[in-house]
Amino acid sequence: MQAAVDKAEDGGVALGRVKARQVSSKPVRWVTADHSAHPILQQEFKSPEEVTKACLSCHNEAAHQVHQTIHWTWKDPADGEGLMGKNGLTLNNFCISIHSNEPRCTSCHVGYGWKDASFDFSSEEKVDCLVCHERTGTYKKFPTKAGYPVKEATKFGKKTFVPPDYRLISASVGRPSRENCGVCHFFGGGGDAVKHGDLDSSLFNPSRDLDVHMNAEGSNFNCQRCHTTEAHFISGRTYKQPAFTERKSLIEDDLVKLISCESCHTEKPHRSGHKANDHTDKVACQTCHIPAFARVIPTKMQWDWSQAGRKKNGKPYKVKGESGKPSYDTKKGSFVWEKDVVPEYFWYNGRMDYLLLTDTIDATRVVKLNRVLGDKDDADSRITPFKVHRGKQPYDKGNSTMAVPHLFGKDQSAYWKSYDWNQAIAAGMQAAKLDYSGEYGFVETEYHYPITHMVAPAENSLQCVDCHAEQGRLATLSGFYMPGRDRQPLVDTIGWLAVAFALLGVAGHGLMRLVSGKKRE
Amino acid sequence: MTISKLYLYTRFERFWHWMQGMLILLLIVTGFEVHGVYRLLGFETAFAVHNLCAWAWLVLYAFIVFWIVTTGEWKHYVPTFSKMFEVIRYYTSGIFRGEAHPVPKSERVKHNPLQRITYLGIVSLLVPFQMVTGFIYYYYNRWPQFGWNWTLSTVAVLHTIGAFAFLVYLIVHVYMITTGHTLGSHLKAMFTGYENIAGGD
């Protein structure tokens, strides 16, 4: 029946679409436990760790499982050396690095109390079960409390945080909802839409135009519909490993993990005979189907740390820009925000290469803090959309390495306290156990985010001519021939000359016939 | 001067002539849009129309070849050098002096030596060349299956060269229509099948 509907809509069978509907049709969920009835959850919890203990009394493997994942280690599980990841030696061009800034950064850690390098990663009771599993929407961690909720009502900015009702919250637990994931992932970089541009609070309740999979009137997917989980391991992108190793559809192999578009839609998702099906070997689905990111909320595109520290009347200040987002903040420098951003496109094989804090840089050029790996000749590579965030941030001039500034804290060496870069970098580098020459400068940086969320409905996808044109979206990608964009100039020149010559020839011949004819008369 | 009326072009011949003319025109217009020369129908529509025309032409071409072979019409396309020079001289000078065409059309000779060699070249070289390069171009994704390791630009460039050749041919061909007994006589003949021949008897 569904297939018949598809056929009628498409005027041809889009097998991929039909298959996608089959594999993504609403699962029948059933549970055998009512957590509100468990006696162990009927107590007055005094700390969140007590809740975790209660959880572990039944789910006795859960903490071990969580301990293995990137959500806990903040290090890439695929990297044996432990260098990749937020808790390793990679960095970004937002707040740069968590070393020495733990309390502020770790409010999104699935654990309690990671406030400095001494955090005990083997502790089971520090695992925060609630942040992912509570379903009341009332459980909130306090931004600067190293992953703890408050014990008494506390103000942060304009918001007041109240202590959680652990009993009520623990009774609500269940499979994570979009809200559970979004609470951290939509606010990466410390605020809504700051980091990603394709992940922000607009996805809590997106319109069909914004996200065709997640809108409530449509399939209303939660995150795990694609990011499938297994023993607390959640499939998705890590640093060294692609999100998925094989582009396979569920049709080919029922056991393959979801995550790629092809898993559900197959590699021929368009109606049969449509040329778009021939593009799936070279072009990622996202390229055409996510025409722009940050379509509802502006995202941060540039961050210049070198402008930080300016004061007005001796006091730090903020300036609000057009979009209602700050364009200047004494603590952080100047920003550029953009909405409805056209992505940049790169050949991408699912892997990224990350610069480490120990790597030597060339400060005369833009430093790529991560690089998109892939090549037009690589069978695994697809042209993929990216958000490129551009920054200007401190580096160690003497050692030619990137610098870790100590930003957050009440001590004098914290930049947000003293506004002294030299002290802040010295403290940050020490915390990260890195050598600092004592001399800093600012360098331009780039950070790349694959754009893969906010999939628009088919009717809003890119048109052929968006890329197949001289100044189309793929104008910067070179080394391959693309109809409509590329030509052999010599052939075209000779061709048009021949056409002009033919036109001139027949015009001249005709004119001479006309004149000679008149004469004869 | 006597004017004789000759039935030279049968119904199917006229049909395939105009169908082919329309297809060539559409293919040129859409092909150059796909090539990025201008925006007219929109890339996707231009691409779709181009492919549709290509398939249509393939089918038509098969019929044309079959027809030419089975009706004996192929005789009109056998190249000859006899009177070739006279024809060239006619078009470069005689025509301006009002001379008569050195090769008057007849039921046995529908085409002069220049037409013969041009049409033969078009039907046996240019059309197949454009079809072959076009279909190879279209099936770019299957190349690895056939073990082909060419670059798309090679095929695209060859196809473009063919397109320019067609365009040049079309310009000259359309002009040559006007060189008949009257400006419109050749054109009329391709609609009615009857050619008015001047001076013959």
Side-chain angles (χ1 to χ4, degrees), chain A residues 274-275 278 281 464-465 468-469 481 483-484 487-488 491-492 495-496 498-499 503 506 509-510 512-513 516 520, chain B residues 34-36 39 43-44 47 91 95-98 137-138 141 152-153 156-157 161 164 167 171 175 178-179 183:
Chain A
H274 197 284
K275 190 68 187 169
D278 285 343
D281 59 338
C464 307
V465 78
H468 290 279
Y481 186 92
R487 285 167 219 171
Q488 167 53 250
V491 167
D492 272 41
W496 290 121
V499 170
L503 281 170
V506 299
H509 197 269
M512 280 166 73
R513 272 170 62 208
S516 64
R520 281 200 308 279
Chain B
V34 170
H35 193 51
R39 284 192 189 188
F43 188 95
E44 189 166 356
F47 169 83
Y91 283 116
I95 191 169
F96 304 122
R97 288 193 289 271
Y137 194 160
Y138 184 80
N141 284 72
L152 185 60
S153 73
V157 161
I161 291 170
F164 276 117
L167 188 51
I171 290 165
Y175 171 73
T178 66
T179 62
L183 281 180

Side-chain angles (χ1 to χ4, degrees), chain B residues 149-175:
Chain B
N149 195 21
W150 309 330
T151 60
L152 185 60
S153 73
T154 311
V155 177
V157 161
L158 290 176
H159 198 61
T160 309
I161 291 170
F164 276 117
F166 261 113
L167 188 51
V168 168
Y169 163 74
L170 190 71
I171 290 165
V172 177
H173 183 75
V174 167
Y175 171 73

Side-chain angles (χ1 to χ4, degrees), chain A residues 286-489:
Chain A
Q286 293 92 326
T287 294
C288 300
H289 291 277
I290 311 177
F293 60 87
R295 296 209 291 276
V296 176
I297 303 171
T299 187
K300 207 174 263 188
M301 296 301 291
Q302 289 183 42
W303 182 331
D304 184 351
W305 277 101
S306 72
Q307 301 298 313
R310 288 204 304 261
K311 289 179 188 171
K312 232 182 207 166
N313 307 323
K315 280 184 184 156
Y317 70 105
K318 282 184 191 180
V319 181
K320 251 194 189 170
E322 288 167 32
S323 55
K325 300 280 188 180
S327 59
Y328 183 77
D329 182 340
T330 303
K331 286 165 88 177
K332 299 171 181 174
S334 57
F335 309 122
V336 175
W337 298 77
E338 280 175 47
K339 218 182 117 180
D340 251 326
V341 192
V342 172
E344 294 179 38
Y345 299 90
F346 302 98
W347 287 100
Y348 179 46
N349 63 14
R351 286 163 212 274
M352 307 265 264
D353 186 25
Y354 287 77
L355 185 87
L356 298 181
L357 284 161
T358 45
D359 290 337
T360 306
I361 57 152
D362 176 2
T364 62
R365 302 168 73 169
V366 176
V367 175
K368 291 184 194 313
L369 296 183
N370 68 355
R371 280 190 313 126
V372 180
L373 299 182
D375 184 84
K376 63 181 173 58
D377 298 320
D378 168 15
D380 287 335
S381 293
R382 305 285 191 280
I383 293 168
T384 308
F386 280 82
K387 167 182 171 174
V388 184
H389 182 260
R390 299 193 157 83
K392 203 168 184 188
Q393 63 190 92
Y395 78 104
D396 182 334
K397 233 176 177 173
N399 291 331
S400 287
T401 59
M402 295 307 296
V404 178
H406 175 39
L407 301 168
F408 175 85
K410 292 203 158 61
D411 52 307
Q412 269 305 311
S413 58
Y415 184 76
W416 290 343
K417 182 83 182 162
S418 65
Y419 295 102
D420 180 336
W421 278 117
N422 212 25
Q423 273 192 57
I425 295 169
M429 296 293 261
Q430 194 183 9
K433 299 189 180 71
L434 296 164
D435 178 48
Y436 175 48
S437 70
E439 202 190 346
Y440 71 90
F442 287 90
V443 65
E444 286 181 49
T445 54
E446 279 180 357
Y447 200 92
H448 303 78
Y449 293 96
I451 294 296
T452 190
H453 304 97
M454 294 185 180
V455 176
E459 65 267 22
N460 295 351
S461 64
L462 289 191
Q463 301 292 303
C464 307
V465 78
D466 289 318
C467 297
H468 290 279
E470 244 173 297
Q471 288 308 316
R473 291 195 177 207
L474 302 185
T476 56
L477 293 179
S478 59
F480 60 97
Y481 186 92
M482 202 167 83
R485 183 192 72 167
D486 299 315
R487 285 167 219 171
Q488 167 53 250

Side-chain angles (χ1 to χ4, degrees), chain A residues 100-349:
Chain A
S100 75
N101 303 308
E102 284 88 349
R104 183 70 179 90
C105 301
T106 58
S107 55
C108 275
H109 186 240
V110 294
Y112 300 117
W114 180 0
K115 63 181 196 303
D116 54 37
S118 72
F119 180 70
D120 179 8
F121 282 94
S122 68
S123 167
E124 290 189 29
E125 65 184 37
K126 294 286 181 198
V127 173
D128 182 354
C129 309
L130 295 179
V131 73
C132 298
H133 293 283
E134 74 98 17
R135 302 294 300 266
T136 64
T138 63
Y139 179 76
K140 290 197 170 60
K141 302 213 214 183
F142 192 69
T144 63
K145 276 197 80 180
Y148 275 111
V150 292
K151 282 190 172 137
E152 55 202 42
T154 314
K155 279 192 90 167
F156 185 82
K158 283 175 194 151
K159 277 188 212 154
T160 302
F161 288 72
V162 291
D165 181 343
Y166 290 116
R167 194 165 156 171
L168 188 76
I169 288 167
S170 62
S172 78
V173 295
R175 292 188 180 88
S177 66
R178 208 185 286 166
E179 284 70 23
N180 292 112
C181 307
V183 143
C184 285
H185 290 281
F186 294 167
F187 298 87
D192 194 6
V194 168
K195 239 185 201 174
H196 294 280
D198 65 333
L199 284 172
D200 61 39
S201 67
S202 66
L203 288 179
F204 281 134
N205 190 15
S207 67
R208 184 171 176 274
D209 276 349
L210 180 64
D211 195 301
V212 75
H213 298 111
M214 290 174 77
N215 75 99
E217 308 87 65
S219 20
N220 203 12
F221 280 10
N222 57 14
C223 305
Q224 302 96 286
R225 207 77 195 91
C226 300
H227 295 269
T228 48
T229 63
E230 206 178 292
H232 282 103
F233 173 82
I234 298 165
S235 58
R237 191 179 63 79
T238 61
Y239 291 72
K240 277 195 163 179
Q241 211 171 31
F244 47 94
T245 46
E246 264 183 291
R247 286 181 169 83
K248 257 184 162 182
S249 77
L250 286 169
I251 321 308
E252 295 168 68
D253 179 357
D254 276 340
L255 299 174
V256 78
K257 301 269 194 304
L258 289 157
I259 200 72
S260 76
C261 309
E262 279 175 37
S263 305
C264 295
H265 288 282
T266 78
E267 58 170 23
K268 290 198 180 1
H270 309 94
R271 66 174 190 271
S272 77
H274 197 284
K275 190 68 187 169
N277 282 330
D278 285 343
H279 285 57
T280 57
D281 59 338
K282 298 285 177 199
V283 183
C285 305
Q286 293 92 326
T287 294
C288 300
H289 291 277
I290 311 177
F293 60 87
R295 296 209 291 276
V296 176
I297 303 171
T299 187
K300 207 174 263 188
M301 296 301 291
Q302 289 183 42
W303 182 331
D304 184 351
W305 277 101
S306 72
Q307 301 298 313
R310 288 204 304 261
K311 289 179 188 171
K312 232 182 207 166
N313 307 323
K315 280 184 184 156
Y317 70 105
K318 282 184 191 180
V319 181
K320 251 194 189 170
E322 288 167 32
S323 55
K325 300 280 188 180
S327 59
Y328 183 77
D329 182 340
T330 303
K331 286 165 88 177
K332 299 171 181 174
S334 57
F335 309 122
V336 175
W337 298 77
E338 280 175 47
K339 218 182 117 180
D340 251 326
V341 192
V342 172
E344 294 179 38
Y345 299 90
F346 302 98
W347 287 100
Y348 179 46
N349 63 14

